[in-house]
């Protein structure tokens, strides 16, 4: 079978992009190799680890389980986008302060998922946080520090 | 790994999707949320010629109430079902089960129709709609037909839907206020597929159980009604003696498949434990406020 190509057009981190790519290109490969946003990582490539998390039209999704062609006309935001906008600067500071990362491989996915949780602006227990973050694997930290960081940012955002 | 080569078409209407299914036969595959299909492509466990993307078909999205029936479009995403007021009020069993379906990012894309069409034996939604007696609406180029859920699941990833039919809607009778439902499962990590699970729906008045339908999943090749266990339960008081009888009856209902998550004996044991917990909970719920949840 020959490689079928498709031209896609979408907004990535606020910039309009148009590219012609093989239809089977995953969204995460598209942002990494076509656009150079290498902050989204590829771990398992079958939906289990969460390292590839990106935001599409406001929702966090698995970048390895969506074709770039499916994001036609969508607004895509990667870790580079939410870092530059300052949306999660408080969370990033807390991650550093609490040592919520070691090798850092899982961190972009953790931050993308936690951003969606924090956007809910509701009181939540550590149990709620663990449940929400359950789809993101970290092989280094043991998760405790990650939950600490998210909890503490949620509390201060609710107060502030 | 990366997905193999395939062609890709965005269906512009239900009719267009059906036309593509007819044209491509075995080689055509519906792409809904992609949360089960994409992993199988990435792992090269399947190699369709043509992916038919139905994500643009707004007719297949949404939740509405038609008299006493909740109608859920096949393309309704898990997250919408989870946050729906209609589901919370009329289908507390589904509302209770939905948080167990995968994780946030997967629920943001995955669809209830995809979950039902796929018929993974460890999936939550097939078991819940079996407990509630749903009807599945499928559509082919010859028209629509309705399939009672009791006849829909045939086995491991096998259903009564023909290859050239689209699942378009799931119609679920609204839960009756005088009945109770309970959903329980055991998994290694929250959101992972279950090792054992139960969905129960029926009446408990005082301690007496009637019309209880016990559905087991993650042990057989499809969600399975525990007919003998339900018979041993109905008309009885929920007591240690009844529990004993139900557990014995369950052994003639289930023949769990061993897998990575556990042996057949372990799964049988866990299904018994869950049955006991589910009925303890049902009794408490029935004696509480209204009993519906
Ligand atoms: C890490 C991970 C964990 C998961 N955990 C769980 C879990 O605990 N419980 C659970 O239930 N699920 C789980 N899932 C699967 C998830 O719920 C899927 O969303 C769901 O099983 C399939 O829905 P989909 O819309 O993504 O379907 P797709 O992946 O798009 O399709 C699945 C199959 O159904 C067919 N299909 C889809 N829609 C239709 C339709 N309308 N008509 C005809 N055929 C159709 C497709 O052709 C394909 O063969 C998990 C997935 C991942 C990646
Ligand atoms: S790389 Fe996508 S979930 Fe692991
Ligand atoms: S910091 Fe290494 S995987 Fe999470």
């Amino acid at each position: 079978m020959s490689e079928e190509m498709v031209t896609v057009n979408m907004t990535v981190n606020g910039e309009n992009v148009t590219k012609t790519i093989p239809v089977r290109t995953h969204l995460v490969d598209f942002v990494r190799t076509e656009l150079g946003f290498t902050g989204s990582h590829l771990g398992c490539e079958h939906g289990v680890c969460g390292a590839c998390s990106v935001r599409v039209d406001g929702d966090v999704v698995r970048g390895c389980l969506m074709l770039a062609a499916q994001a036609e006309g969508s607004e895509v935001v990667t870790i580079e986008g939410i870092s530059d906008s300052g949306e999660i600067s408080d969370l990033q500071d807390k991650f550093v302060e609490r040592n919520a990362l070691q090798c850092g491989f899982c961190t972009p996915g953790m931050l993308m998922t936690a951003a969606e949780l924090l956007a809910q602006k509701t009181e939540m227990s550590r149990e709620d946080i663990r449940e929400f973050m359950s789809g993101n694997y970290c092989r280094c930290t043991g998760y405790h520090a990650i939950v600490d960081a998210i909890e503490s940012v949620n509390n201060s955002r609710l107060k502030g | 790994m990366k997905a193999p080569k395939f062609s890709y078409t965005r269906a512009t209407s239900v009719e267009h999707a059906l036309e593509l299914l007819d044209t491509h036969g075995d080689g055509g595959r519906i792409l809904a949320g992609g949360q089960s299909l994409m992993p199988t492509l990435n792992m090269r466990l399947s190699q369709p010629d043509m992916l038919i993307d139905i994500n643009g078909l707004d007719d297949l999205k949404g939740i509405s109430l038609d008299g006493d029936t909740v109608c859920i479009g096949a393309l309704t995403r898990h997250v919408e079902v989870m946050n729906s007021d209609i589901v919370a009020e009329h289908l507390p069993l589904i509302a209770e089960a939905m948080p167990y379906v995968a994780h946030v990012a997967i629920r943001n894309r995955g669809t209830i129709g995809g979950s039902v069409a796929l018929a993974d034996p460890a999936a939550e939604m097939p078991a819940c709609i079996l407990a509630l007696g749903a009807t599945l609406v499928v559509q082919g180029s010859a028209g629509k037909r309705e399939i009672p859920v009791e006849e829909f699941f045939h086995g491991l990833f096998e259903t009564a839907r023909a290859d050239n039919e689209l699942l378009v809607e799931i119609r679920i009778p609204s839960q009756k206020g005088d009945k109770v439902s309970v959903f329980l499962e055991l998994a290694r990590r929250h959101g992972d597929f279950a090792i054992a699970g139960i969905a129960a729906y029926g009446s408990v008045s005082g301690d007496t159980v009637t019309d209880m339908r016990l559905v087991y999943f993650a042990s057989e090749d499809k969600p399975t009604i525990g007919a003998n266990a339900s018979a041993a339960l109905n008309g009885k008081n929920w007591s240690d003696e009844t529990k004993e009888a139900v557990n014995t009856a369950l052994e003639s209902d289930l023949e769990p498949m061993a897998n990575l998550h556990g042996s057949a004996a372990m799964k049988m044991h866990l299904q018994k434990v869950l049955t006991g917990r589910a009925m303890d909970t049902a009794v408490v719920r029935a004696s509480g406020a209204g009993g519906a949840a």
Side-chain angles (χ1 to χ4, degrees):
Chain A
M1 190 174 205
S2 64
E3 186 82 74
E4 183 172 308
M5 305 295 283
V6 63
T7 300
V8 293
N9 180 292
M10 67 186 88
T11 307
V12 180
N13 298 332
E15 304 246 342
N16 198 26
V17 295
T18 303
K19 296 257 178 196
T20 301
I21 52 167
V23 280
R24 60 178 168 145
T25 311
H26 296 133
L27 183 57
V28 62
D29 286 324
F30 178 73
V31 298
R32 284 177 57 85
T33 55
E34 294 288 330
L35 307 178
F37 292 121
T38 53
S40 312
H41 293 158
L42 271 160
C44 66
E45 291 194 301
H46 64 270
V48 177
C49 75
C52 62
S53 303
V54 294
R55 188 185 281 174
V56 177
D57 294 330
D59 297 322
V60 66
V61 304
R62 300 289 206 230
C64 70
L65 297 186
M66 189 169 168
L67 299 173
Q70 293 187 282
E72 174 67 28
S74 291
E75 234 174 272
V76 177
V77 180
T78 68
I79 186 64
E80 288 86 354
I82 57 167
S83 296
D84 290 350
S85 71
E87 177 185 332
I88 51 160
S89 54
D90 51 352
L91 182 63
Q92 287 166 318
D93 289 345
K94 254 319 162 215
F95 260 60
V96 173
E97 193 183 309
R98 286 294 301 120
N99 270 330
L101 66 157
Q102 288 172 31
C103 79
F105 190 83
C106 69
T107 314
M110 287 288 175
L111 294 170
M112 293 301 299
T113 306
E116 181 154 321
L117 176 69
L118 292 168
Q120 295 181 351
K121 297 195 184 3
T122 52
E123 302 257 348
M124 59 190 86
S125 65
R126 293 179 69 84
E127 221 19 70
D128 297 334
I129 295 171
R130 281 184 180 276
E131 195 175 311
F132 199 95
M133 300 301 296
S134 66
N136 290 68
Y137 271 140
C138 175
R139 300 289 72 177
C140 302
T141 64
Y143 302 100
H144 219 76
I146 294 173
V147 177
D148 287 348
I150 297 169
E151 183 185 35
S152 135
V153 170
N154 193 50
N155 288 343
S156 49
R157 282 199 194 177
L158 287 179
K159 260 191 254 140
Chain B
M1 290 197 300
K2 309 296 176 195
K5 290 175 191 160
F6 48 72
S7 297
Y8 168 86
T9 306
R10 284 183 204 107
T12 52
S13 65
V14 169
E15 289 67 29
H16 183 210
L18 295 175
E19 217 178 278
L20 289 165
L21 277 176
D22 281 340
T23 315
H24 292 276
D26 254 5
R29 196 70 49 83
I30 296 293
L31 173 61
Q35 303 302 291
S36 294
L37 182 54
M38 292 307 301
T40 69
L41 295 178
N42 293 359
M43 293 188 276
R44 306 222 170 175
L45 297 174
S46 72
Q47 195 137 7
D49 301 327
M50 167 62 76
L51 292 193
I52 304 163
D53 186 349
I54 59 170
N55 283 276
L57 305 185
D58 291 342
D59 291 355
L60 301 184
K61 295 176 187 165
I63 303 168
S64 61
L65 202 55
D66 173 12
D68 277 343
T69 305
V70 181
C71 309
I72 308 185
L75 201 60
T76 310
R77 306 215 187 264
H78 298 320
V79 62
E80 292 160 49
V81 175
M82 190 159 128
N83 296 335
S84 157
D85 291 339
I86 295 180
V87 171
E89 185 181 341
H90 296 273
L91 302 172
L93 179 65
I94 304 255
E96 186 174 19
M98 203 38 112
Y100 292 91
V101 178
H103 314 278
V104 182
I106 291 159
R107 290 195 297 265
N108 280 342
R109 289 290 300 168
T111 68
I112 189 165
S115 181
V116 170
L118 179 68
D120 188 305
E124 290 81 4
M125 284 306 116
C128 290
I129 66 169
L130 180 56
L132 296 174
T135 302
L136 291 316
V137 185
V138 297
Q139 186 171 350
S141 42
K144 283 188 186 175
R145 60 191 183 108
E146 297 194 354
I147 308 170
V149 66
E150 293 81 0
E151 296 165 19
F152 188 77
F153 297 109
H154 285 181
L156 199 63
F157 305 117
E158 296 277 344
T159 70
R161 181 186 66 86
D163 280 346
N164 63 350
E165 284 176 321
L166 200 60
L167 174 64
V168 291
E169 190 176 64
I170 301 160
R171 301 174 63 85
I172 312 172
S174 180
Q175 286 183 225
K176 301 265 188 297
D178 57 348
K179 291 196 171 188
V180 287
S181 61
V182 181
F183 178 89
L184 288 173
E185 76 168 46
L186 296 166
R188 285 196 192 271
R189 170 177 75 150
H190 183 96
D192 282 356
F193 277 106
I195 306 171
I198 185 171
Y201 179 53
S203 300
V204 183
S205 108
D207 263 359
T208 311
V209 182
T210 47
D211 296 331
M212 188 63 71
R213 185 179 266 196
L214 301 172
V215 172
Y216 296 88
F217 63 101
S219 66
E220 312 306 294
D221 63 354
K222 59 183 179 194
T224 302
I225 298 175
N228 295 314
S230 303
L233 178 63
N234 287 319
K236 306 285 180 351
N237 276 348
W238 180 239
S239 61
D240 285 346
E241 201 182 321
T242 309
K243 188 189 275 188
E244 200 66 23
V246 170
N247 280 347
T248 307
L250 192 58
E251 293 187 3
S252 55
D253 285 323
L254 303 183
E255 237 179 289
M257 306 183 300
N259 62 14
L260 280 179
H261 299 303
S263 65
M266 175 178 139
K267 287 190 171 224
M268 178 59 88
H269 172 74
L270 294 178
Q271 296 292 30
K272 288 179 183 173
V273 170
L274 287 179
T275 308
R277 287 187 194 163
M279 290 317 301
D280 289 345
T281 308
V283 169
V284 171
R285 287 185 181 174
S287 65

